[in-house]
């Protein structure tokens, strides 16, 4: 009933069945029919074999671009052959019931299918859908050179990361993880650095930085690193200071004793340019001169030199130790004689 077209798609058959088609024509109220040849559909009595298709990844989910592998396994009773398909394209045929592939070949929603064939060539199909957690890292900037012990400028986001097609809204706390490295190879998470930008602590050694974008899908956490860059650290100059009066010398840090109005020559080492300070006040502006001389220093004055490692306005610098001055007053000399009123005759002996 209802099979009146030129073709017919039978329902499920449980036994061998013959089919033919009648060509029907009506003329002057008389209906005539003529049968076609007979087509026999033979139903194999051998049972088909069902199975269950699974993968070794949680919820059949992988990270986008992951170079790792995913293994698909179909569990069933023994079969004549097993054929694996990805999106209806055959990828493996044989007796093995496992198929191994690189996770990186899959796109979200790809369909993996197996066909389990019995000895008569009849088969059942099993399918699963692969989910791909696609995490794109965005990009960051902040390469710079700093002096040892100073805090670098903020490392900032140039482009936000994307998780499964959705850009991360700033600051994206929790969707990022900053990392640092001494060699650009081995990376370490920076605790609490989980926003789109990051300000490092004071730098003491060359350090590489990068930012991971982190996304979770079906319980699987995937992370993808951004570009990386170097924050290089310039070592501070080793600032040295000596003082010399001609009879007394000292090397900072030191306490030095001199006489009032006595000239003291200070000599700096360790830099390209120098600036001298007395009690924290600059007394000789930054220049290439490594010497400073003064005869007007007073007791308890403290002299320091600041050594710069270059002529650049952003040169790194370091202060020397202190030379703390003790300035002593000149002795008050006097002379007298044993002669009354200091008057005596030629040839007299005096004390």
């Amino acid at each position: 009933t209802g099979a009146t077209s030129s073709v017919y798609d039978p329902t499920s058959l449980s036994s061998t069945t013959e089919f033919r088609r009648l060509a029907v024509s009506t003329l002057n109220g008389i209906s005539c029919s003529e049968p076609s040849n007979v087509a026999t559909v033979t139903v194999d009595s051998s049972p088909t074999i069902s199975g269950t298709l699974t993968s070794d990844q949680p919820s059949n989910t992988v990270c986008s671009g992951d170079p790792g592998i995913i293994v698909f396994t179909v569990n069933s009773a023994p079969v004549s052959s097993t054929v694996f398909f990805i999106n209806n394209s055959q990828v493996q045929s044989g007796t093995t019931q496992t198929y191994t592939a690189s996770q990186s070949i899959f796109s979200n929603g790809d369909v993996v299918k197996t066909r389990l064939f019995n000895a008569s060539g009849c088969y059942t199909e099993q399918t699963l859908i692969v989910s791909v957690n696609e995490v794109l890292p965005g990009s960051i900037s902040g390469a710079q050179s700093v002096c040892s012990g100073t805090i670098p400028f903020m490392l900032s986001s140039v482009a936000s990361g994307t998780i499964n097609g959705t850009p991360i809204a700033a600051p994206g706390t929790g969707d990022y993880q900053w990392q640092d490295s001494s060699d650009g190879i081995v990376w370490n998470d920076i605790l609490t650095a989980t926003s789109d930008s990051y300000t490092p602590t004071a730098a003491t050694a060359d350090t590489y930085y990068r930012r991971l974008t982190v996304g979770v899908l079906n319980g699987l956490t995937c992370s993808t690193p951004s570009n990386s860059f170097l924050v290089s650290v310039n070592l501070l100059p080793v600032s040295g200071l000596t003082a010399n009066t001609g009879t007394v010398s000292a090397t900072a840090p030191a306490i030095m004793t001199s006489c009032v109005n006595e000239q003291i020559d200070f000599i700096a080492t360790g830099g390209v340019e120098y600036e001298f300070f007395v009690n924290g006040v600059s007394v000789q502006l930054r220049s290439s001169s490594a010497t400073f001389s003064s005869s007007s220093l007073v007791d308890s004055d403290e002299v320091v030199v600041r050594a710069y490692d270059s002529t650049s306005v952003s040169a790194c610098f370091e202060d020397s130790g202190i030379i703390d001055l003790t300035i002593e007053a000149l002795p008050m000399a006097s002379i007298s004689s044993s002669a009354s009123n200091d008057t005596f005759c030629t040839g007299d002996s005096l004390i």
Side-chain angles (χ1 to χ4, degrees):
T1 301
T4 58
S5 299
S6 61
V7 297
Y8 173 60
D9 187 7
T11 58
S12 178
L13 300 176
S14 59
S15 61
T16 298
T17 305
E18 294 181 338
F19 294 89
R20 71 179 185 178
R21 184 182 66 187
L22 296 180
V24 180
S25 177
T26 302
L27 179 63
N28 297 327
I30 303 299
S31 179
C32 302
S33 62
E34 183 70 22
S36 69
N37 60 302
V38 174
T40 301
V41 176
T42 301
V43 176
D44 193 313
S45 60
S46 302
T48 56
I49 302 172
S50 297
T52 303
L53 178 61
T54 61
S55 79
D56 64 346
Q57 297 302 306
S59 302
N60 307 316
T61 304
V62 299
C63 297
S64 176
D66 193 322
I69 62 172
I70 181 171
V71 179
F72 299 95
T73 302
V74 58
N75 295 301
S76 70
V79 296
S80 178
S81 66
T82 302
V83 181
F84 285 84
F85 299 82
I86 297 178
N87 297 330
N88 291 320
S89 294
Q90 182 177 314
V91 293
Q92 180 176 290
S93 177
T95 57
T96 180
Q97 291 190 291
T98 62
Y99 169 64
T100 300
S102 170
Q103 296 182 27
S104 62
I105 71 172
F106 290 95
S107 298
N108 191 49
D110 281 353
V111 178
V112 177
K113 178 175 67 178
T114 55
R115 287 179 179 174
L116 300 176
F117 288 86
N118 65 13
S120 299
C122 297
Y123 62 85
T124 60
E125 290 186 339
Q126 300 75 35
T127 61
L128 63 75
I129 297 175
V130 176
S131 297
V132 177
N133 191 2
E134 186 175 36
V135 178
L136 302 179
S139 59
I140 56 175
S141 65
Q144 56 194 282
S145 294
V146 297
C147 299
S148 179
T150 61
I151 297 176
F153 295 119
M154 182 177 68
L155 314 182
S156 59
S157 178
V158 175
S160 64
T162 301
I163 299 175
N164 295 315
T166 302
I168 300 170
T173 304
D175 291 326
Y176 297 109
Q177 175 61 64
W178 284 84
Q179 295 183 315
D180 60 14
S181 170
S182 61
D183 57 10
I185 300 173
V186 178
W187 295 91
N188 305 291
D189 289 347
I190 303 171
L191 298 179
T192 73
T194 58
S195 298
D196 57 354
S197 60
Y198 170 63
T199 300
T201 56
T204 57
D206 289 356
T207 304
Y208 293 87
Y209 292 93
R210 71 180 186 181
R211 184 186 68 186
L212 302 181
T213 298
V214 183
V216 181
L217 178 66
N218 297 333
L220 177 67
T221 300
C222 300
S223 60
T224 306
S226 69
N227 58 301
S228 63
F229 50 73
L230 176 66
V231 174
S232 59
V233 175
N234 297 323
L235 297 179
L236 301 180
V238 180
S239 180
L241 178 65
T242 60
N244 196 318
T245 65
T247 57
V248 178
S249 63
T251 300
I255 298 174
M256 180 179 179
T257 301
S258 178
C259 297
V260 67
N261 298 326
E262 184 175 23
Q263 177 170 310
I264 306 175
D265 298 320
F266 297 90
I267 302 172
T269 59
V272 175
E273 290 187 327
Y274 304 92
E275 184 174 5
F276 289 86
F277 297 83
V278 175
N279 301 327
V281 178
S282 178
V283 293
Q284 182 169 295
L285 295 179
R286 176 180 171 182
S287 71
S288 60
S289 174
T291 61
F292 164 66
S293 298
S294 177
S295 59
S296 60
L297 297 171
V298 298
D299 190 51
S300 298
D301 276 350
E302 294 181 341
V303 181
V304 170
V305 69
R306 178 170 294 170
Y308 296 85
D309 68 354
S310 73
T311 59
S312 168
V313 294
S314 59
C316 298
F317 62 84
E318 178 76 334
D319 290 347
S320 70
I322 297 172
I323 293 183
D324 191 349
L325 297 176
T326 298
I327 304 298
E328 296 184 343
L330 296 175
M332 299 297 293
S334 63
I335 188 171
S336 63
S337 72
S338 58
S340 177
N341 297 321
D342 297 325
T343 303
F344 53 89
C345 297
T346 300
D348 288 348
S349 296
L350 299 175
I351 298 175

